[in-house]
Amino acid sequence: MSQGKPMILELLASSVKTSAKAGQIIKDIMRQGDLGIVEKGSEPNDLQTEADRSAQRCIIASLTKKFPNVTIIGEEGHSHRIDDVVQDWIVSEVDQSVLALDCPPQYKEVNPQDVVVWVDPLDGTSEYTQGLLDHVTVLIGIAVQGRAVAGVIHQPYYGYKTAPDTLGRTIWGLVGSGIGGIQAQTPPKGELILTTTRSHNTALVVEALEALKPSKIVRVGGAGHKALLVIEGLCHAYVFASNGCKKWDTCGPEAVLEAAGGVFTDLHGNHYSYGKDVAYPDAQGIFATAKGVDHAELLKKIPQALKDAFPY
Ligand SMILES: Nc1ncnc2c1ncn2[C@@H]1O[C@H](COP(=O)(O)OS(=O)(=O)O)[C@@H](OP(=O)(O)O)[C@H]1O
Ligand SMILES: [Mg+2]
Ligand SMILES: [Mg+2]
Ligand SMILES: [Mg+2]
């Protein structure tokens, strides 16, 4: 640990480096060609690959070793054993630009008991198995007293079509401090470009999109990927009238988007709670807007009857 640095900076700085290692593992497994796909069973087409399993082991082992008193919840199960994890997967490096941040005063003295780390080791698994590699992200979200305050979105295949050996890119954010890895952009005025699921369309998903009268809809996989489109100003909003996402899908993206000046809420305009005892599904859907977009005004266009389909 770096002497005297606030724990939240240490945790974010470690998460940045660890997410990139997880991304390397994901790419190594794809190169080796045996994805080891299993159906998780609870829902149709809910896949898990060797890359999901290995990336999660890397992240949980690395963070557990350094932060044993912090709760870590990963998509792919709850084994926190680190004794059987390959040494090379245990990341000790930290991102120096994060460590150098001026920590917002409210996060300077955080009690580890109040921190929950939400890990989606590979967001966009079905896209990964289908070769839509730029949809894949590694997501680490850091919640303090239930609020998403810091996060990492690592995109291992960013730019791979022109540079097959790409290291990808790692975008991080700390609410009150800003983001790193890319510049947040305001989307173009006079248009309304929405992003949503490519694979889980329902009548409600479509109804919510149509109510907003978009000029364009961008359908891609992954909560991390969609959040990046909004952070970069390529889309005005990420709208998903479904209870399909889980807390590990949204904690990291919410923190990074909000650190970038956007707003990430459910369909009622409320922030999700990411405390250790919350239910996993994002049961009230997703409504996230870019920097410079009036979130409250846009949300008014969603009919109340549709919002009522996502009760508390
Ligand atoms: N039960 C249920 N109902 C509706 N939609 C669901 C459900 N489970 C998962 N999903 C949607 O499937 C997409 C992939 O899920 P995940 O984010 O879990 O993917 S991954 O496992 O991390 O790859 C993701 O959507 P998109 O990535 O936006 O297409 C999830 O929101
Ligand atoms: Mg999954
Ligand atoms: Mg996911
Ligand atoms: Mg996943």
Side-chain angles (χ1 to χ4, degrees):
M1 297 250 180
S2 318
Q3 212 59 43
K5 291 285 181 188
M7 191 267 265
I8 194 94
L9 294 188
E10 296 270 6
L11 184 50
L12 182 59
S14 296
S15 299
V16 165
K17 290 291 186 188
T18 304
S19 70
K21 179 69 187 179
Q24 280 174 20
I25 293 170
I26 288 168
K27 289 193 283 192
D28 286 346
I29 289 168
M30 178 58 81
R31 264 192 297 268
Q32 286 156 14
D34 180 7
L35 298 189
I37 300 172
V38 295
E39 284 255 10
K40 287 206 267 187
S42 47
E43 291 152 7
N45 292 320
D46 192 9
L47 306 180
Q48 186 198 64
T49 70
E50 188 53 40
D52 298 71
R53 295 185 284 276
S54 298
Q56 170 149 322
R57 283 159 65 76
C58 159
I59 296 167
I60 295 205
S62 301
L63 298 182
T64 301
K65 188 160 183 200
K66 279 196 189 170
F67 305 95
N69 298 322
V70 160
T71 300
I72 305 176
I73 303 174
E75 177 180 0
E76 311 303 346
H78 306 295
S79 165
H80 284 28
R81 279 186 65 179
I82 53 177
D83 50 332
D84 59 350
V85 175
V86 207
Q87 272 306 309
D88 180 51
W89 287 3
I90 300 187
V91 177
S92 54
E93 290 84 13
V94 287
D95 184 89
Q96 293 301 328
S97 59
V98 170
L99 274 192
L101 288 174
D102 196 10
C103 187
Q106 64 273 34
Y107 307 131
K108 276 193 175 149
E109 310 251 348
V110 168
N111 182 344
Q113 310 295 335
D114 291 335
V115 177
V116 183
V117 179
W118 292 90
V119 177
D120 187 342
L122 197 171
D123 184 44
T125 304
S126 70
E127 286 75 15
Y128 177 71
T129 65
Q130 292 165 34
L132 295 167
L133 298 177
D134 46 352
H135 297 217
V136 169
T137 58
V138 176
L139 303 175
I140 302 177
I142 300 170
V144 177
Q145 292 184 335
R147 279 298 301 271
V149 302
V152 182
I153 304 173
H154 173 70
Q155 195 177 23
Y157 290 100
Y158 176 69
Y160 80 107
K161 287 178 184 156
T162 48
D165 290 334
T166 177
L167 293 175
R169 59 178 179 171
T170 308
I171 293 88
W172 54 260
L174 173 61
V175 172
S177 210
I179 69 167
I182 52 172
Q183 291 257 311
Q185 303 286 347
T186 302
K189 302 270 179 241
E191 291 178 65
L192 181 62
I193 308 170
L194 303 179
T195 185
T196 196
T197 183
R198 59 178 277 278
S199 56
H200 288 77
N201 247 341
T202 63
L204 286 174
V205 167
V206 172
E207 193 189 324
L209 296 168
E210 286 178 350
L212 297 170
K213 300 190 172 35
S215 50
K216 188 177 168 191
I217 299 176
V218 180
R219 296 181 182 279
V220 296
H225 184 205
K226 286 189 270 291
L228 284 177
L229 293 175
V230 175
I231 293 163
E232 290 192 280
L234 298 170
C235 294
H236 296 71
Y238 167 14
V239 179
F240 190 41
S242 160
N243 59 6
C245 281
K246 313 284 191 304
K247 295 294 180 296
W248 45 74
D249 291 308
T250 52
C251 185
E254 175 175 331
V256 181
L257 177 58
E258 296 233 340
V263 183
F264 195 119
T265 70
D266 66 16
L267 288 166
H268 300 278
N270 298 320
H271 287 101
Y272 278 110
S273 176
Y274 295 94
K276 58 177 89 122
D277 299 320
V278 298
Y280 294 156
D282 288 341
Q284 285 77 38
I286 294 176
F287 198 90
T289 52
K291 175 183 172 185
V293 173
D294 190 333
H295 180 277
E297 272 307 304
L298 199 59
L299 187 53
K300 281 185 194 160
K301 296 187 184 169
I302 303 281
Q304 188 59 44
L306 194 152
K307 294 176 185 169
D308 291 343
F310 297 90
Y312 286 94

